[in-house]
Amino acid sequence: MIGEAIAGAIGHQIDASDGEGGALGAAVGVVTWKVAKNVIPALLVIGAAAWGARYLSRRWQEKMA
């Protein structure tokens, strides 16, 4: 909830900087926060799995050689 409020405030500041106002910037900030909250942990898990697979592959190749 705090993250959404911060994202909304940042989006509002960006929207206010163009001089037109409106809530589009705040809405985009909140949506970006919600998406990032789910995507970033998934990317960390996928990256760790890829790194582990590469590490094991290299290790098995060294063992076989």
Side-chain angles (χ1 to χ4, degrees):
M1 176 129 172
I2 293 173
E4 291 174 10
I6 293 170
I10 291 171
H12 177 70
Q13 289 294 331
I14 292 170
D15 195 35
S17 68
D18 67 1
E20 293 181 19
L24 182 63
V28 170
V30 171
V31 169
T32 302
W33 169 253
K34 287 184 178 187
V35 169
K37 198 166 52 169
N38 294 325
V39 170
I40 291 174
L43 289 176
L44 290 173
V45 169
I46 291 170
W51 179 82
R54 185 175 178 190
Y55 174 78
L56 289 175
S57 176
R58 285 185 178 183
R59 186 132 172 176
W60 286 335
Q61 285 178 356
E62 289 175 2
K63 219 176 212 184
M64 295 300 226

